[in-house]
Amino acid sequence: MSAHLRFEIADHVATLTLERPDKLNAMTPDMARGLVEAVATCNSSDEVRCLIVTGAGPKAFSAGSDISTLDAYATPWDFRNREDYCDALRACRKPVIAAINGYALGGGLETAMACDIRIASSSARFAAPEIKLGWIGGGGMAVGLAQSMGMSNAALMLFTGEMVTAEQALAWGLVSEVTSPQTLMPRAREVATQIAQRAPIAAETAKLNLRAAHQMPYEKAIEYERDLQAICFATEDAAEGRAAFAERRPPVFRRR
Ligand code: COA
């Protein structure tokens, strides 16, 4: 894995730290490849039930793509078809929490939006600054902003490139919670641990369902949800959940 990523698994929670603090955790192609590997491990390992993504150092979650690497592509088509770290993260089947400890800019903001739950430190700042450089985001910026905060707020961010505070991001629905810098990781771990204690197949299925709900007509979405519910209901874990409830004990889920 990339020297600029740290990946740890403990108590069913994986933590991926973007570790290039001297460059505000700006993403290199090498980090993008490492992220693909980390997500593949999360997807294939029964040990992982939730992933936390965060940035090293006090200043940044990630300041986006490393601008100095963007000229390395031989053609615009190669640039267009580059290995995208946001695609990699969206491919994670396990629930993903972004613990946003500082700047989340450009691809850093897209990385946070590729996660399912966003918790921010009060020091976090958000922006789509590509417009100041002469281009626009390409990892889900417009769709992610529009879905979370509505068209007007998204347009404000996209067209100005200006930074938004953690409090503003909370008011607009971009993040779920704002914590102090000190309590960010404990709170992210607390939520991850709660998720990790739930039935893993149901958690993964809830993620599938939530993603699909955005893209399907209403009635179809409910039909699909019912199919997913039936699949969950037929698992060994669901039988264990019902047995544990009847026996008044905590369930022991095995992702079966
Ligand atoms: N790509 C490459 N390097 C970056 C970077 C990026 N996206 N963002 C920051 N860095 C580097 C800086 O070049 C600097 O490196 P240096 O110390 O070798 O000169 C280091 O990270 C620290 O950044 P610096 O600009 O000195 O910090 P600051 O606190 O003065 O400013 C920002 C912080 C976030 C306002 C500023 O770094 C910035 O505008 N970054 C670009 C953000 C961006 O446009 N992202 C979208 C990219 S597509």
Side-chain angles (χ1 to χ4, degrees):
M1 194 172 287
S2 164
H4 296 303
L5 294 177
R6 184 154 36 95
F7 185 64
E8 298 147 308
I9 302 173
D11 302 325
H12 291 303
V13 176
T15 305
L16 180 69
T17 307
L18 311 173
E19 204 163 43
R20 207 182 165 219
D22 53 325
K23 299 287 182 187
L24 306 185
N25 302 320
M27 296 277 209
T28 61
D30 175 55
M31 289 165 79
R33 282 188 291 274
L35 223 141
V36 171
E37 275 177 50
V39 168
T41 302
C42 291
N43 282 344
S44 63
S45 168
D46 271 0
E47 279 305 298
V48 179
R49 295 184 178 181
C50 187
L51 169 65
I52 299 173
V53 180
T54 193
K59 275 186 82 172
F61 176 73
S62 170
S65 295
D66 185 316
I67 297 167
S68 68
T69 66
L70 296 180
D71 286 327
Y73 298 93
T75 67
W77 195 237
D78 288 343
F79 171 67
R80 189 251 175 262
N81 293 318
R82 69 198 178 278
E83 193 135 50
D84 187 275
Y85 42 91
C86 302
D87 290 349
L89 213 45
R90 273 196 308 279
C92 189
R93 291 198 296 271
K94 314 287 171 76
V96 185
I97 299 172
I100 305 159
N101 53 304
Y103 291 124
L105 311 176
L109 173 51
E110 291 170 326
T111 299
M113 291 194 294
C115 301
D116 302 299
I117 297 170
R118 283 168 290 287
I119 302 175
S121 148
S122 54
S123 63
R125 297 289 179 270
F126 303 84
E130 290 91 340
I131 198 151
K132 293 181 171 177
L133 297 162
W135 63 90
I136 61 171
M141 183 67 86
V143 67
L145 290 180
Q147 273 181 3
S148 63
M149 59 178 65
M151 294 291 275
S152 176
N153 294 329
L156 194 61
M157 289 191 72
L158 287 169
F159 302 167
T160 69
E162 290 299 325
M163 288 200 204
V164 160
T165 63
E167 287 305 327
Q168 191 64 71
L170 181 66
W172 285 354
L174 179 59
V175 303
S176 299
E177 289 179 30
V178 175
T179 70
S180 69
Q182 297 74 23
T183 52
L184 177 67
M185 285 312 289
R187 176 59 186 149
R189 282 197 201 98
E190 183 180 44
V191 175
T193 302
Q194 287 171 342
I195 293 170
Q197 285 167 352
R198 307 298 178 246
I201 294 174
E204 289 172 47
T205 309
K207 174 164 178 165
L208 265 184
N209 189 23
L210 190 60
R211 296 268 164 123
H214 274 299
Q215 296 163 19
M216 295 172 97
Y218 196 87
E219 291 299 330
K220 282 272 172 229
I222 293 173
E223 286 296 318
Y224 182 60
E225 180 169 287
R226 209 154 280 160
D227 291 343
L228 293 177
Q229 182 192 41
I231 291 169
C232 289
F233 198 75
T235 60
E236 289 177 23
D237 283 346
E240 163 65 6
R242 295 193 293 276
F245 180 79
E247 293 159 23
R248 296 177 183 275
R249 61 169 174 82
V252 181
F253 294 126
R254 296 196 174 81
R255 198 165 177 258
R256 294 287 181 269

